[in-house]
Amino acid sequence: MSRIIAGRGRGRRLKAPRGLATRPTGGRVRQTLFDILAPEMPGCRFLDAFAGSGAVGLEALSRGAARVVLVDTSRPAVEAIQENARALEGDGGEVQVFRQDARTAAAALADRGRQFDVVYLDPPYASGTDLY
């Protein structure tokens, strides 16, 4: 089970969907990522397009992101994300969760004029996702 590493939500446990369809980003990877992104976090708009359990986006929220959008196609993943987000309510920032394909969600968000300071993409290995 992973936890929020730092910030307002530090130590809070995060649920992940059962099975092998979701591969949560490890704590060391998240720590390194956010060590690099630390100057960008306060007040940023953060998109995690293959959110899984939501650990990366919720870590951003805990570290001061103003708005976090989490996108995943899996119903169990979205349910876990929503539960994890509820556990962080009151820690500041806004969280939106979408059950959608990453490309569809990105296009819809762009059509609404939504912009992001940080976009995190970590698609599943076997997804066949061609992002370029």
Side-chain angles (χ1 to χ4, degrees), residues 31-54:
Q31 180 67 47
T32 301
L33 173 68
F34 284 100
D35 285 349
I36 294 166
L37 292 176
E40 305 300 321
M41 284 301 100
C44 86
R45 298 160 297 182
F46 192 98
L47 171 64
D48 183 353
F50 297 90
S53 68

Side-chain angles (χ1 to χ4, degrees), residues 6 9 15 27 33 51 54 61 69 72 74 84 86 97 114 122 129:
K15 297 194 177 195
L33 173 68
L61 182 73
V69 175
D72 206 288
S74 163
N84 291 333
R86 279 191 297 274
V97 181
R114 298 288 299 274
D122 186 13
T129 302

Side-chain angles (χ1 to χ4, degrees), residues 33-34 37 40-41 43-49 54-61 64-71 94-96 109 114-121:
L33 173 68
F34 284 100
L37 292 176
E40 305 300 321
M41 284 301 100
C44 86
R45 298 160 297 182
F46 192 98
L47 171 64
D48 183 353
V56 172
L58 296 173
E59 186 74 39
L61 182 73
R67 177 176 294 142
V68 174
V69 175
L70 303 159
V71 178
E94 174 188 337
V95 177
Q96 289 184 299
L109 290 163
R114 298 288 299 274
Q115 296 180 346
F116 298 93
D117 303 300
V118 178
V119 176
Y120 182 76
L121 302 171

Side-chain angles (χ1 to χ4, degrees), residues 80-95:
I81 293 166
Q82 290 170 333
E83 188 173 340
N84 291 333
R86 279 191 297 274
L88 291 172
E89 280 181 349
D91 283 344
E94 174 188 337
V95 177

